[in-house]
Amino acid sequence: MSTDSTDVTGTRGHTFPGGTFRPAPGRAHPLRMLAAHTVLEAKLTLRHGEQVLLNLIIPLALLIGLSTLHIGAVTEPRVDSVVPRVLALAVMSTAFTGQAIALGFDRRYGVIKRLSATALPRWVLIGGRVLATLVVVALQVVVLGITGLLMGWSPAVEGLLAAVPLFVLGTLAFGAAGVLVGGTLRAEIVLAVANAVWFVLLLAGGLALPPQDLPGAVGALAHFLPSGALAESLDATLAHGALPGLRPVLVLVAWGAVTGLVAGRTTRLT
Amino acid sequence: MSPDADDSPALDVRGLNKRFGDTVAVANLDLRMERGHVLALLGPNGAGKTTTVETCEGFLRPDSGEVRVLGVDPVTHGERLRPRIGVMPQGGGAYPGARAAEMLELIASCSAHPLDPAWLLDTLGLTAAGRTPYKRLSGGQQQRLSLACALVGRPELVFLDEPTAGMDPQARRLVWELIAALRADGVSVLLTTHLMDEAETLADRVVIVDHGRAVAEGTAAELTAPHDGRQELRFRSQPALDLDLLLTALPEDCTASEIRAGEYVIHGEIDPQTVSTVTAWCARQDVLAHELRVDRRSLEDVFLDLTGRELRS
């Protein structure tokens, strides 16, 4: 750290009127804390160049690329099959990779400890991050959805409502895994692990290609990864207007529960 | 607006022990601070100051011993305690990408009756840096923001862990004024530092800690008073002066020694005649006596006598 060089002349010789610091402790309303925390978390994500690249630019590029280039045996119109998988990728980018990296560096900079030392209850500390992630996911869905529509995507209208809880479930499942990685490892390691997992799941987890187009064992495995499960269930609702099968939902719940439980035990403040 | 009618002390620590693996961080430490007082924990690096503070804040669980902060157990009742305290951790603590003003406003939004964040930023000379992300602030600016975050909730008790580390002299003076103002308004302050003048100027009581133990405790005046009832005269001059000559001129029960090269101490009954004898002896040898003082060791002398003079890793 550099030493201080900023001029504080304006305040030199400051005398404070008596009572300026008279104690008046007290906790603000929890919803006020939750709102302030959520807003700042969301702002920080949307302002961060690399996060926007990961959360929006790459999914947009893949949406356009996979819909126009003829990769894999996908039924026409390609965009109908691509949009659900790109939306699943967007959820993974924000809730897992983005969350893990942000948490890793927030811990490095001592912010988790700093906030733990305030009146902010623990549930607000977690809730603010979850809500901010949901806000960002909602924005991604809107932007990617509009882009998809412009490219000729025709979603099954009856499936739109059913997709909403899937986005929430996917965000929670990937978010729990993100907290596990970001809350336990050193910031540099988090950066490496979170990006590597993202890349592997993109290629082999049923996102770039649907699980059934992946070779043998990899395709079978993809059904049991959160990426494949989310893509599959979004495909069922958005492309076919059907309810998602029980298996993908259970896969997401299981990943979220297991990583969440482990994260609860291993997450460190710094 | 007193939220708490009880008269429990600001801090009451008894028999605190904390170790990390094989390393003893705090050993059988007792601390007590009255409400509205400033207590300084003074000690070399690695003495256990931060461990003690973080235990009081509820971040660390004591291995044994009892910790009460404002009458509350910080580990089991942390959620009740935290709205009442302000914390300035060592090395700041903020979102790397958050602007200084945003960070302070977030902390302010946690409190029912916060100070005005804009006023606090201005007071700490941070208005111009209000839109600068935390990671781009200078070390001293980060420290000042961290102090603002500790104060904004109008706490009853603040923990300041090396608050002036990395600050320039102007900023340090401002922080001292702030701490004096806090004390005047009835806020209790636990301060860790390794700056003697900081402890001497600000603290009602000073506890010197080393290797996790309290090795001395009292007001700065008590700690620096002569300990054996005899008085003391200290001065600096050229090294290796002829003390035999001086001893023959001094009363019989006086002792004189050169404790470090060029640093002399006379013990005995120090009266105007003794001082005159010493300066006359210097004059005869054509040397000047610098920093001549009677009866008072500096806090630094006490500190170094107690904690040793070798460099700590």
Side-chain angles (χ1 to χ4, degrees), chain A residues 2 4 6 8 11-12 14 19-22 24-28 32 36-37 41 47 106 109 111 113-114 116, chain B residues 54 59 79 82 87 93-95 102 109-112 122-123 139-141 144 154 156 166 170 177-178 185 187:
Chain A
S2 59
D4 195 308
T6 310
V8 290
T11 51
R12 200 178 299 167
H14 209 124
T20 305
F21 299 104
R22 194 185 61 244
R27 190 193 291 271
R32 189 176 126 81
H37 187 221
E41 286 273 355
R47 205 193 275 157
D106 286 352
Y109 277 82
V111 70
K113 198 170 201 175
R114 157 83 272 169
S116 304
Chain B
E54 294 200 339
F59 284 126
E79 298 231 331
R82 280 190 281 274
V87 170
Y95 289 102
E102 286 175 338
S109 74
C110 300
S111 294
D122 184 49
T123 299
Q141 287 173 326
R144 278 183 272 149
R154 304 190 47 182
E156 293 167 66
Q170 286 86 351
E177 284 172 23
L178 267 169
D185 284 339
V187 181

Side-chain angles (χ1 to χ4, degrees), chain B residues 35-185:
Chain B
R35 297 282 179 111
H37 276 206
V38 177
L39 178 72
L41 281 184
L42 190 62
N45 290 336
K49 304 188 295 291
T50 297
T51 302
T52 304
V53 170
E54 294 200 339
T55 306
C56 293
E57 292 163 355
F59 284 126
L60 296 173
R61 188 182 288 274
D63 293 337
S64 65
E66 198 169 291
V67 178
R68 290 289 176 277
V69 180
L70 301 169
V72 174
D73 183 330
V75 174
T76 59
H77 293 87
E79 298 231 331
R80 214 163 72 198
L81 175 65
R82 280 190 281 274
R84 299 171 62 192
I85 62 173
V87 170
M88 178 181 180
Q90 204 176 118
Y95 289 102
R99 296 164 180 157
E102 286 175 338
M103 191 64 210
L104 184 58
E105 280 156 14
L106 175 66
I107 305 291
S109 74
C110 300
S111 294
H113 319 282
L115 295 169
D116 176 11
W119 173 82
L120 203 49
L121 282 179
D122 184 49
T123 299
L124 285 162
L126 287 169
T127 302
R131 293 183 56 78
T132 306
Y134 179 77
K135 63 183 169 200
R136 293 220 304 270
L137 296 174
S138 75
Q141 287 173 326
Q142 291 183 344
Q143 283 286 92
R144 278 183 272 149
L145 178 62
S146 181
L147 177 61
C149 289
L151 302 183
V152 73
R154 304 190 47 182
E156 293 167 66
L157 164 62
V158 289
F159 293 98
L160 306 178
D161 199 354
E162 299 198 2
T164 57
M167 284 189 183
D168 64 18
Q170 286 86 351
R172 179 174 305 159
R173 199 148 290 280
L174 171 67
V175 171
W176 289 10
E177 284 172 23
L178 267 169
I179 294 173
L182 289 170
R183 182 180 177 280
D185 284 339

